[in-house]
Amino acid sequence: MSNEIIMHGTTIVTVRKGNKVVIAGDGQVSLGQTIMKGNARKVRRLGKGNVIAGFAGATADAFTLLERLESKLEQYPEQLTRACVDLAKDWRTDRYLRRLEAMMLVADKNVTLALTGTGDVLEPEHGVMAIGSGGNYALAAARALAETDQDAEAIARTAMRIAGEICVYTNGSVILESIDLA
């Protein structure tokens, strides 16, 4: 058994419905059984503000990946999928990047994607996806709510509240970013 203390905490959910796509994330960062920070900002806008992203995992690793994604977006403007695939290739093949432990959800007007260190660039089947410690709870709630008449933002906020009520590594301090699709 390892004596290493593992940092936990994050729930990120994305919902694409109607004329909006949103990404919401909680603010809790935990170290072992201690809440280290309750208001971390894990959701942000990238580039010129036309891409939103949320991350789970090691914070420094996630910031490195966000910076790399921004560079890819400069290289491939308005081509989020191409930028993400290129980043995923680098992430898998570069010795330094391979060691980064994080995941990201990203979205623009056209597509929502999940990026992982295993080279995955995945689009959600039902317009809903979630990552992090409470991701499965948020995903289940959002999938159920997507069938109601609630809009994307209401679904994301409710899914985050439900995840926070179940997952000890998720709190109620929610940051939400959205993009209008129309």
Side-chain angles (χ1 to χ4, degrees):
M1 182 170 154
S2 171
N3 288 335
E4 181 181 335
I5 297 177
I6 299 172
M7 244 187 191
H8 286 282
T10 297
T11 299
I12 305 292
V13 66
T14 182
V15 179
R16 181 178 291 268
K17 184 177 180 188
N19 65 347
K20 194 171 274 199
V21 60
V22 301
I23 296 181
D26 78 310
Q28 184 167 308
V29 177
S30 303
L31 184 62
Q33 297 176 345
T34 304
I35 297 171
M36 297 297 289
K37 184 173 175 105
N39 64 346
R41 186 174 178 85
K42 304 169 199 170
V43 176
R44 58 195 62 236
R45 290 188 174 276
L46 299 179
K48 298 174 183 165
N50 56 347
V51 174
I52 53 177
F55 64 83
T59 306
D61 293 355
F63 281 126
T64 299
L65 293 167
L66 288 171
E67 287 173 8
R68 295 282 181 125
L69 181 56
E70 282 196 291
S71 295
K72 297 294 182 183
L73 289 168
E74 288 174 13
Q75 187 177 356
Y76 306 112
E78 304 296 322
Q79 298 179 64
L80 181 59
T81 301
R82 185 170 181 186
C84 288
V85 168
D86 209 42
L87 174 62
K89 286 179 190 175
D90 290 351
W91 198 350
R92 292 255 320 144
T93 58
D94 183 276
R95 284 180 101 171
Y96 169 72
L97 293 178
R98 246 192 330 241
R99 291 182 174 83
L100 299 182
E101 296 182 14
M103 291 180 73
M104 294 190 302
L105 294 179
V106 297
D108 67 5
K109 285 186 174 191
N110 302 311
V111 67
T112 301
L113 300 168
L115 286 83
T116 73
T118 58
D120 295 317
V121 179
L122 305 168
E123 190 171 358
E125 285 184 325
H126 305 283
V128 177
M129 192 174 273
I131 58 174
S133 305
N136 286 337
Y137 307 117
L139 177 63
R143 289 270 309 265
L145 293 167
E147 297 178 13
T148 69
D149 61 352
Q150 292 186 46
D151 67 12
E153 186 172 329
I155 291 168
R157 288 192 185 281
T158 302
M160 290 300 299
R161 180 182 53 77
I162 290 168
E165 291 172 356
I166 299 169
C167 177
V168 297
Y169 298 114
T170 302
N171 70 10
S173 176
V174 174
I175 300 290
L176 185 136
E177 290 285 351
S178 66
I179 296 175
D180 291 329
L181 304 178

